[in-house]
């Protein structure tokens, strides 16, 4: 059986199940407890688990991220919510220097099992300071794992895997997907459902061109594939799910099949996720199978404008993906 579940409810389900499963798991951040979460991701959890497990913090990312990292070092399993990842910049020293590097610098004697999670990338009409995608930033750093879910199944399976992982994991969600319902199977809704970190998923089989994407852009790729299918072009859509470690093998296998590649992301072009995919493909065995240069579809290389029409022009839309596919296929 299959039911419709929003990304918000999938995340809530995952948190509830993991809090219940392991008493070392706790959630902290701004508004996560009494208010039920700024985006209602933690709805009902404070009432159910109480003050020790779901903790409202002062507005100090550096402070509560530091508390969370310290707790993880003594083998608790904190889930640290940033109200948006733009605010994780306040705590970047904790995330990179305290969380990501400690396992290596302690020669494997101090693990830091922590999850930093919250909305990432552009929402709607929140201006330049609240519209950045941090996938490339965090994906750049060894010692972190970075996941970027699209569907409800992604969100639930990746959050559960992240909480159970003994390493620091950055989970980049999309605020604009929270209310979107996706089909979820009974299996995906079971308590033991986890998605392995580092494995991409093929969302749509195709033979003419490979579209690789993560987070909200996956939905745009699926839509573009439906439009192009009417014109006789069959796109294979790869949902990365994980940014680091990146599942380049799945992308390579797809490129070997289709001989064409387009990457799609909401982040900036320079040193972006798509740039990394293109470089890895060029360096690897799939390069000889490419019949045309790979094409990147990205956010515009500007701070995000506030005006809606300008914002729409800065975020990759379905028409931009269709245009890129036709360019790559020379049609």
């Amino acid at each position: 059986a299959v039911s419709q579940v929003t990304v918000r409810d999938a995340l809530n389900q995952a948190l509830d199940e993991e809090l219940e499963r392991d008493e070392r798991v706790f959630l902290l951040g701004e508004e996560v407890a009494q208010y039920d979460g700024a985006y209602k991701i933690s709805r009902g959890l404070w009432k159910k688990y109480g003050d020790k497990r779901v903790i409202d913090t002062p507005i100090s990312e550096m402070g509560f991220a530091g508390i969370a990292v310290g707790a993880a070092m003594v083998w608790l399993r904190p889930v640290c919510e940033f109200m948006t990842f733009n605010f994780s910049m306040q705590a970047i020293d904790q995330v990179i220097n305290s969380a990501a590097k400690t396992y290596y610098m302690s020669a494997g004697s101090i693990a830091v099992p922590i999850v930093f999670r919250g909305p990432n990338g552009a929402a709607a009409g929140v201006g330049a300071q609240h519209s950045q995608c941090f996938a490339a930033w965090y994906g750049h750093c060894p010692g972190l794992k970075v996941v970027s879910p699209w569907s409800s199944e992604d969100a639930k399976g990746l959050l559960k895997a992240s909480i159970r992982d003994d390493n620091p994991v950055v989970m980049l969600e999309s605020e604009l997907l929270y209310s979107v319902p996706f089909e979820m199977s009974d299996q995906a809704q079971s308590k033991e459902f986890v998605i392995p970190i580092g494995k991409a998923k093929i969302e749509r089989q195709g033979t003419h061109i490979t579209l690789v994407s993560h987070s909200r852009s996956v939905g745009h790729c699926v839509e573009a594939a439906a439009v192009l299918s009417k014109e006789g072009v069959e796109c294979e859509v790869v949902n990365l799910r994980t940014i680091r470690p990146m599942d380049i093998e799945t992308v390579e296998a797809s490129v070997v099949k289709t001989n064409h590649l387009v990457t799609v992301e909401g982040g900036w072009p320079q040193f972006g996720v798509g740039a990394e995919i293109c470089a890895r493909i060029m360096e690897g065995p799939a390069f000889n199978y490419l019949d045309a240069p790979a094409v990147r579809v990205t956010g515009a290389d500007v701070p995000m404008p506030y005006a809606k029409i300008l914002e729409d022009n800065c975020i990759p839309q379905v028409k931009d993906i269709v245009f890129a596919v036709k360019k790559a296929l020379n049609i």
Side-chain angles (χ1 to χ4, degrees):
V2 170
S3 49
Q4 295 271 327
V5 180
T6 64
V7 171
R8 173 182 288 106
D9 290 341
L11 290 164
N12 181 268
Q13 212 177 79
L15 287 169
D16 189 4
E17 289 169 11
E18 294 305 302
L19 282 160
E20 183 179 62
R21 175 177 177 268
D22 185 344
E23 61 186 19
R24 296 171 301 176
V25 175
F26 71 100
L27 176 61
L28 79 169
E30 294 147 358
E31 310 284 10
V32 297
Q34 294 186 30
Y35 188 69
D36 274 341
Y39 303 98
K40 304 300 177 231
I41 303 297
S42 52
R43 185 189 283 142
L45 300 179
W46 175 66
K47 275 201 176 68
K48 184 170 175 181
Y49 295 101
D51 290 331
K52 282 213 161 61
R53 307 289 301 284
V54 185
I55 303 168
D56 277 330
T57 64
I59 301 176
S60 173
E61 283 75 16
M62 186 189 289
F64 68 73
I67 288 169
V69 172
M73 286 176 177
V74 293
W75 215 237
L76 292 173
R77 292 186 170 265
V79 178
C80 176
E81 176 178 310
F82 291 122
M83 201 175 283
T84 98
F85 262 93
N86 302 276
F87 303 151
S88 76
M89 294 293 95
Q90 295 288 340
I92 192 102
D93 179 58
Q94 303 288 5
V95 179
I96 305 300
N97 288 321
S98 303
K101 297 174 185 173
T102 294
Y103 188 67
Y104 171 81
M105 291 180 73
S106 67
S109 64
I110 304 172
V112 187
I114 187 171
V115 180
F116 299 101
R117 56 153 293 275
N120 168 68
V126 290
Q129 293 177 340
H130 298 88
S131 298
Q132 242 162 293
C133 173
F134 291 95
W137 286 55
Y138 286 120
H140 181 63
C141 300
L144 289 177
K145 294 184 180 182
V146 183
V147 298
S148 180
W150 168 55
S151 66
S152 300
E153 181 180 303
D154 291 353
K156 182 175 182 196
L158 288 170
L159 181 50
K160 287 172 75 84
S162 300
I163 291 170
R164 295 182 191 189
D165 200 286
D166 288 340
N167 299 281
V169 183
V170 171
M171 180 154 173
L172 305 169
E173 300 153 15
S174 165
E175 184 188 327
L176 295 176
L177 289 174
Y178 284 155
S179 302
V180 178
F182 288 88
E183 289 189 347
M184 269 181 97
S185 64
D186 286 349
Q187 182 218 352
Q189 292 195 67
S190 82
K191 286 191 173 176
E192 285 314 304
F193 178 74
V194 290
I195 288 170
I197 293 173
K199 281 300 295 171
K201 182 189 179 194
I202 295 179
E203 297 289 349
R204 187 185 200 278
Q205 298 281 342
T207 49
H208 295 132
I209 191 161
T210 299
L211 301 178
V212 187
S213 188
H214 68 96
S215 189
R216 187 162 167 258
S217 298
V218 176
H220 293 130
C221 287
V222 170
E223 285 177 50
V227 170
L228 286 155
S229 182
K230 293 195 176 80
E231 300 181 36
V233 175
E234 295 302 330
C235 301
E236 182 145 296
V237 179
V238 180
N239 172 6
L240 277 177
R241 282 181 164 173
T242 307
I243 305 299
R244 178 192 263 283
M246 190 179 275
D247 181 4
I248 209 69
E249 294 76 21
T250 295
V251 180
E252 281 175 341
S254 181
V255 169
V256 165
K257 181 167 99 173
T258 67
N259 311 113
H260 298 89
L261 173 64
V262 170
T263 67
V264 185
E265 67 194 301
W268 292 314
Q270 192 154 317
F271 313 110
V273 175
E276 176 66 16
I277 293 165
C278 291
R280 297 276 277 277
I281 289 297
M282 193 179 74
E283 290 166 349
F287 177 69
N288 293 322
Y289 289 84
L290 278 176
D291 288 343
V295 178
R296 289 180 291 163
V297 179
T298 69
D301 197 16
V302 296
M304 183 64 72
Y306 173 71
K308 184 173 183 351
I309 185 143
L310 296 177
E311 182 174 73
D312 289 344
N313 277 292
C314 282
I315 297 169
Q317 310 291 343
V318 172
K319 63 176 171 42
D320 303 315
I321 300 169
V322 170
F323 180 82
V325 166
K326 290 183 172 177
K327 180 179 161 186
L329 291 171
N330 199 22
I331 52 176

